[in-house]
Amino acid sequence: MSGAVLSVRDLTVRAHLDSGRRTLLDAVSLDLGKGEILGLVGESGSGKSLFCRSLVRLLPSPLLKIESGSVLLDGRDLMRIGDGEMLEVRGGEIGMIFQNPTSHLDPVMRIGDQIAEGIRYHQGLGAREARTAATEILAQVGFPDPVGQYDSYPHEFSGGMRQRAMIGVALSCNPKILIADEPTTALDVTIQAQILRLLMEIRDRRGLSIILITHDLGIVAQTCDRIAVLRGGKLIEEGPKRAILARPQHPYTINLINSHPSLPGEISAPLPDIGEAGQPVRPLLEIDDLHVRFKAGGGLFKGGPRNVSAVAGVSLQIMPGETVGIVGESGSGKSTLARAVLGLTRISSGHVTFDGVDLAQQKSAGLAKLRRETAMVFQDPYNALNPRLTIGQMLAEVLKVQGKVAKADIPARIDELLDLVGLEREFAGRKPRSMSGGQCQRAGIARALAVDPKLIIADECVAALDVTIQAQIIELFRELTAKMNLTLIFIAHDLAIVRNLCERVVVMYRGEIVEQGRSEEVFARPRHAYTASLIAAIPDIDPDKPLLQDAGGKDDRQSIPIQPVKRMP
Amino acid sequence: MSIEAIAPAPAWRRLFVRRPMLAVGAGLLLFFVLLAIAAPVIAPYDPILQNAEVRLQAPSLLHPFGTDNFGRDILSRVIWGARLDLQMALIGIIFPFLIGTTVGTVAGFFGGIVDALFMRLVDIILAFPFLVLMLSIIAILGPGLGSFYIAMALVGWVSYARLIRAQMLVLKSSDYAVAAVSLGFSRSRIMFRHLLPNAVAGSIVFSMSDATLVLLSGAAVSYLGLGVQPPIAEWGVMVAEGQSFITTAWWITLFPGLSIVSLAFGFSMLGDALGELLGVHE
Amino acid sequence: AGVLTIGRREDSTTFDPIKTAQNIDNWVFSNVYDVLIRVDKTGTKLEPGLAESWTTSDDGLTYTFKIRDAKFSDGSPLTAEDAAYSLLRIRDDAASLWSDSYKVIDTAVATDAHTLTIKLKNPSAPFLSTLALPNASVISKKGMETLGADAYGEKPIASGAFTVDEWRRGDRVILKKNPNFWQADRVKLDGVEWISVPDDNTRMLNVQAGELDTAIFVPFSRVEELKKDPNLNVDIDASTREDHLLINHAHGALAKKEVRQALDLAIDKKSIVDAVTFGQGTIANSYIPKGALYYYADNLQRPYDPAKAKELLAAAGASDLTLNYLVRAGDEVDEQTAVLVQQQLQKAGITANLQKVDPSQEWDMIVAGDYDVSVNYWTNDILDPDQKTTFVLGHDSNNNYATNYKNEAVKDLVAKARLELDPKKREAMYVDLQKMAKDDVNWIDLYYSPYINVSRKNIENFYQNPLGRFFLEDTVKN
Amino acid sequence: MHRYKFVLTRPLQFLPVIFGISVITFILVRLIPGDPARNILGTRATPAALAGIRAQYGLDQPMWLQYVYFLKNLANGEMGKSILYKIDVLKLIVTRIEPTLALVVTSVVLSVLIAVPMASIAARNAGRAPDHAVRIVSTLGIGFPPFWLGLMLIILFSVELGVLPVSGYGATIGEKLSHLVLPSLTVALSLSTVLTRSLRAAMIEQLKSDVATAARARGMPEGIVFWRHVLPNSLVPTINLLAVNIGWLIGGSVVVETVFALPGMGQLLVRAIFSRDYMVVQGVAMVFACATVLINFIADIVTVTVDPRVTL
Ligand SMILES: Nc1ncnc2c1ncn2[C@@H]1O[C@H](COP(=O)(O)OP(=O)(O)OP(=O)(O)O)[C@@H](O)[C@H]1O
Ligand SMILES: Nc1ncnc2c1ncn2[C@@H]1O[C@H](COP(=O)(O)OP(=O)(O)OP(=O)(O)O)[C@@H](O)[C@H]1O
Ligand SMILES: [Mg+2]
Ligand SMILES: [Mg+2]
């Protein structure tokens, strides 16, 4: 690019820790052209966020220092200008959009005021004018009622709307460059698509340059002009999007592209033929017209007693040995269904029958059976493990309580379990804090396996993980189900993963099942409009398959689920 | 509560160097513990022996902290006082801690009616002026250390119960609690083995500042006349009794007063340091 | 001229004289109300108050008082009717705390506006003294009937040197000069404020800082220091306070006279006077306070002799005596005495276990007999020794002040002395009583102590008589 | 306004607390050994006189019946008659409520005035000298017995410097305020240390928070970041802390009122406990309890106002 607005040269950042110095960014050089969207990809911890924060000299800790390098903006070296001048650059020249709008928006300040704040400060406008300008921006980023919504607080909006507000805040100072740090990871696929489209629109309208950070190559493929790949603080590859996607040079990039879920992988094990074996197979799990309602707003005297139907009349049968995926956007009731099935949440009405035992009728017997024969794997690998117990202690406890293994055999069994999930045996002595996300997730799976269950329910168990690690875990599940004749219910909102792993898929929407069937069929020929929109929202790694061609494109703003206001933690 | 990554098992020396507060706090506490243990050996005089010859003497070489109106040596009384005050601080926090932790755990974990009942009780006790409740209980049981401990336990547990309960409410819906339920663990195992150890850090930190509160409550109770039995040396009583001489014999109140402050300082420092170590935020 | 501010420990509780038995109230009453008969400055003689003069019938049953021309603070005249009403009220009113002391009155009648005739049920030597009690003050019959007892108790209509101008509860009672007082000429002050400052230190500091003119209840420990302050006068006025060690005669070895005598020998009163009262007290040798009516100065005073005490105890077979010593919590003097006495008894081989109890509980325990020894004190309400003597030696319903002391001879003598109207003979009887009590060691007399007040140098004639009455009508603020 | 609906419904929740307190105080005072009748009569009481007083105040009735009377009185808006002062308890309390209220309010205001700047300085210099200074001062401040501290303040400001009155309350507003300075300073010196610590911790966390980062990223200078974003977000936990401490604060007023001769309810209560004036103890405890509940209620309203996310 000749007309670079921003050019970074040999940017080096080091951390000065007690344990020694670590180089976090190693002589990174990059150019950003005018009106260009640059995609910055790389695994977690590769230095993507750090790179962007270094540009505006907002390092997360005083222990980190920019050691050398230059960042040229309009002929000025941002690394050498004074602090006062830097204030002008931040916001005024370079705007930032953050990954998690919920934590980055001031919860006690009105949305409009947060946008107006920058306008007043950078453009020296009066309160009245700033308000008008902020309202204008709210409209631009897609608030349907900007005048009214000016006075709302962040928590009154859905995640998508919050991210729009965040973008509004960044736009408020009229910057030349926008840095968007994983602006959609916290969002649903459908909403992710809207936000990405908004970014592109803004680029087109304002002629902005954007640096888009992500670890999702699909997003890059859909939105960016150029791609830069970071790994371990080094820039390992950079170039036009199509060139990189088509001809990646670095093995890491190749791996990254290959593990992208939107690539139609080989379909897993064929469906066990149910009817053909002659003998009628009894379903392992039968769910009949299940309802779960929550009192929203809480206690006796608080708020209006409002009922939320999290699961509204679900009926489902799951055969032994089957792998079933449940998909649906956030809040569609997937987790609630899983918990209700496992007896962890009270059922409002309906029946759950596990292996012939009706849980409502034989409550204690049913629960005892459930506890012995089912297990759950959780989304957040850190929170799912007791931080005070070592992995060995944790597994030993499960084995002891379950009592299926003789006391003397417990250590051997622990080793076996660790082998099974691909963890070194020395992990038995480690606590979750000293393990990576993927390792924790494996430990979580080991714990589920320790029960020796017939049924495992995995609730979003890969959502928090890197793509590369995601792929490993999926592979692990595939192996386990094949080896141990497990029945697996795999919950996700990422359809691509489900397509890779599951024979059958169930689509949930607002507490109901809107579609179910064999994965290939559902994905190839979705019958329900909602399923279709979900599928269309997956950013494809093929840049020529545009995002959200038609499904949910225009009227998406109405379908954004407004989340119920929750009590502050 | 958030858990910060800490370097795995740092050597204790590095721990102290990196956390001067820990060193100061633990050092002060250790100092008083040693003082208490060695009291019979190092105290120059019998703390309750009266000597009409040396009444109200200002600090001198013979009596470095001076003497009181009975001619008792203040230094010796301060040294012996360390025994009682440490004991007061420890017993004064242990029972509230145990009661509060148990109640908080049970209430937070079970929720519902149990929780509602306990929390109303907490509300009631919190709505009661603290010192007044103490005074009444001590008046009922008769002045003395035993009554003081009982009063502290009856009144002090609420803070711990609240802290623990709040933690339990968060933790019980944590994934590992749900996991424990789904694995068929018994409730008491989940409560006490899995959740409590994770919930208790905040209370431990709080107990350090609570220790100060215990010492001060003891002093206030002494001021209102219901402190420990004479002629026992206890700092709060010494300060309260020395009030009569505050303009003539300042040393009677100053030294026990400083002792309370330094012990309180030690506890606070230790509390702060523990808070950082355990990753607890107030 | 000027308003005198007086700091004291507590605020008044009421201005209805019959409803309180607390000094804190009585001491204010004396300057708000007037009584028929007053006690003079020395605390040994009666002198005319509202009663100009009086006569007694020969049988000692009928008293006739001539009431002087006097007015209440609202300007209405004070009559014999009011006096009679007041006496009958203290005798009969359900809320009266003093009815027992006035049960001896048979009738009280206003024969005319200035003549009050009282008939007693039986002769009573101390009767005239009881009329000097502030609780028997003359109240306005009309005032009481129109205002009602509650309102009257807030802001009374009275005939003393000052009237209640405002009562800020918990803080102060504001009195202003009563122009209708029959001795109004005598009053120099424009008003008096009784201000409650509970903390001893704060109270003293207030006087030192010049924010209060005077403060009462000066702790013994502060006297020397305050004396050094050039701006202050420390007023040390004789009182009728006597501190003594109560002994529960009903408990084991304490029933033996020799054991009690040994206790007396084992206690070094001199060192208590020195250490606890900082030399302000004097050693007591009789239950009747020094300087009071019929005090016997030559009464026996056992020397401090722990060795002899030990012998006596051994002879009585009580060598390893262990005593339960009740201490009043929050009373500095009591706690200090306890610490000292405990160490002294130790020297005679007696173990005293101190038990600190809440003051309100202490007397309950003493009455219930849950004690062996305990220090207590008595201040006379009236000039005549009969009241105290009856309580302490006369075998009344209190088991002789909860000591369970029993001596029939003493009891009979107390009753006789009450009826004896000849002062000479009475005095002889009381001397005998003092000797007998000392011999029996009904309790152990410890020390007499004065009232100690502090005032700024510009205050003159700030004086308290031994019964506690402040003569504020004479006080001058320069 | 939906979020403020609790203002209407919450008072219902007060009832059980108030009721509980009435039962506990009622039983508690009667459990204290010592006889109110004996107390006002003194050591010279005769059994007949004692019986008379007990009958007059219904103390000879069975306990449950006394409680029923107490409740009946309460329903009529009365709290019985003081044994010591011989007047209606409610009337008595009314005369004593103002100084305590004033003390609590001024102490809180003063504590906040001390705590906010101290915490700000400490948080903005976290880990450096000013921070350490604030932490040491605030840790030391907590260890002084208030009665001792109060006396020291009197000696310094009233006796030595002569700038403030020694004790008492006064009649005019000006007098009252000048009389309140030292007592509220005594309370504030210990209360502010607690607040400072909490506020400092919250501020440090907020300074590192995403909200602050986002504000910096849009070019806000540190001052605006601090006052507009960090401070408001740090307040909620401190308000709650203050509310929880209010019982302790009111209880502590007992000692401070005694030292400074403030004619408030704390003094009234202590004297009532020591003289077993049952009705007064009950009455004052009820008033204190209501005050605590009310203050917590106000704290809730403030919290809801400060933090729009909170619903109650
Ligand atoms: N405050 C800090 N102190 C020390 N090291 C830090 C700090 N913040 C970040 N790092 C390190 O800097 C490196 C880069 O972190 P950065 O947040 O830029 O990663 P990232 O690529 O944005 O990852 P992610 O996808 O998880 O957001 C990581 O190795 C991280 O451990
Ligand atoms: N304990 C609860 N109390 C009240 N409402 C709840 C509770 N748990 C869930 N809900 C509500 O029920 C609905 C379904 O929630 P659920 O967690 O099952 O969704 P999900 O499909 O798992 O979403 P996600 O993909 O975000 O995990 C949501 O609207 C949620 O707000
Ligand atoms: Mg990042
Ligand atoms: Mg979920």
Side-chain angles (χ1 to χ4, degrees), chain D residues 214-287:
Chain D
R216 288 187 195 110
R218 71 185 99 115
M220 295 297 124
E222 224 23 51
I224 292 191
V225 173
F226 189 81
W227 293 108
R228 293 195 55 169
H229 298 282
V230 171
L231 183 63
N233 277 295
S234 318
L235 282 181
V236 168
T238 307
I239 293 171
N240 286 328
L241 184 74
L242 198 59
V244 172
N245 271 307
I246 219 75
W248 174 76
L249 185 62
I250 293 180
S253 73
V254 169
V255 168
V256 176
E257 280 179 17
T258 308
V259 173
F260 288 95
L262 276 177
M265 295 207 297
Q267 261 200 69
L268 179 68
L269 184 60
V270 171
R271 196 170 168 192
I273 290 180
F274 283 132
S275 53
R276 311 291 187 268
D277 197 347
Y278 292 166
M279 316 294 167
V280 174
V281 177
Q282 277 159 210
V284 176
M286 297 283 285
V287 172

Side-chain angles (χ1 to χ4, degrees), chain A residues 44-45 47-50 99 181-182 213:
Chain A
S44 182
K48 306 183 293 292
S49 302
L50 200 59
Q99 166 171 6
D181 189 352
E182 316 221 17
I213 299 178

Side-chain angles (χ1 to χ4, degrees), chain D:
Chain D
M1 280 298 104
H2 168 79
R3 293 192 316 121
Y4 287 94
K5 217 167 114 190
F6 75 97
V7 173
L8 299 177
T9 52
R10 175 64 64 84
L12 283 179
Q13 280 176 299
F14 297 164
L15 287 178
V17 174
I18 306 279
F19 178 76
I21 289 198
S22 82
V23 177
I24 292 184
T25 11
F26 187 88
I27 296 174
L28 212 57
V29 285
R30 279 165 182 75
L31 278 180
I32 306 179
D35 178 352
R38 173 104 61 204
N39 213 289
I40 57 162
L41 284 169
T43 55
R44 293 155 212 197
T46 58
L50 288 172
I53 297 281
R54 286 189 198 121
Q56 205 183 328
Y57 290 93
L59 299 172
D60 50 353
Q61 309 278 0
M63 207 127 82
W64 65 268
L65 201 60
Q66 291 186 42
Y67 186 68
V68 170
Y69 286 137
F70 170 64
L71 283 188
K72 222 170 88 185
N73 273 336
L74 212 56
N76 293 332
E78 291 166 20
M79 287 177 170
K81 212 163 180 169
S82 159
I83 304 172
L84 184 62
Y85 297 94
K86 283 96 198 166
I87 61 165
D88 280 345
V89 171
L90 205 59
K91 228 157 124 192
L92 193 63
I93 289 175
V94 167
T95 63
R96 306 288 290 265
I97 207 161
E98 188 194 299
T100 304
L101 203 67
L103 175 65
V104 170
V105 171
T106 48
S107 308
V108 169
V109 170
L110 209 56
S111 311
V112 172
L113 287 184
I114 297 175
V116 170
M118 292 258 282
S120 311
I121 292 170
R124 297 181 68 170
N125 296 289
R128 289 200 296 271
D131 183 28
H132 293 310
V134 167
R135 294 185 81 169
I136 288 178
V137 167
S138 64
T139 328
L140 281 179
I142 221 167
F144 285 102
F147 54 91
W148 192 64
L149 197 63
L151 215 55
M152 289 299 146
L153 291 178
I154 294 181
I155 292 177
L156 179 62
F157 287 101
S158 311
V159 181
E160 297 298 327
L161 299 176
V163 289
L164 286 167
V166 177
S167 73
Y169 191 48
T172 64
I173 299 257
E175 264 174 42
K176 286 175 181 174
L177 282 180
S178 72
H179 278 95
L180 281 169
V181 175
L182 290 184
S184 47
L185 191 60
T186 308
V187 177
L189 281 181
S190 57
L191 181 61
S192 67
T193 59
V194 182
L195 298 187
T196 306
R197 287 157 63 93
S198 139
L199 207 52
R200 172 188 168 276
M203 282 174 170
I204 286 180
E205 199 155 299
Q206 284 298 327
L207 275 168
K208 285 192 274 191
S209 73
D210 290 346
V211 170
T213 308
R216 288 187 195 110
R218 71 185 99 115
M220 295 297 124
E222 224 23 51
I224 292 191
V225 173
F226 189 81
W227 293 108
R228 293 195 55 169
H229 298 282
V230 171
L231 183 63
N233 277 295
S234 318
L235 282 181
V236 168
T238 307
I239 293 171
N240 286 328
L241 184 74
L242 198 59
V244 172
N245 271 307
I246 219 75
W248 174 76
L249 185 62
I250 293 180
S253 73
V254 169
V255 168
V256 176
E257 280 179 17
T258 308
V259 173
F260 288 95
L262 276 177
M265 295 207 297
Q267 261 200 69
L268 179 68
L269 184 60
V270 171
R271 196 170 168 192
I273 290 180
F274 283 132
S275 53
R276 311 291 187 268
D277 197 347
Y278 292 166
M279 316 294 167
V280 174
V281 177
Q282 277 159 210
V284 176
M286 297 283 285
V287 172
F288 272 163
C290 292
T292 315
V293 168
L294 196 70
I295 290 170
N296 274 289
F297 183 49
I298 294 173
D300 281 347
I301 295 178
V302 175
T303 308
V304 167
T305 310
V306 171
D307 190 334
R309 287 168 299 179
V310 181
T311 46
L312 292 166

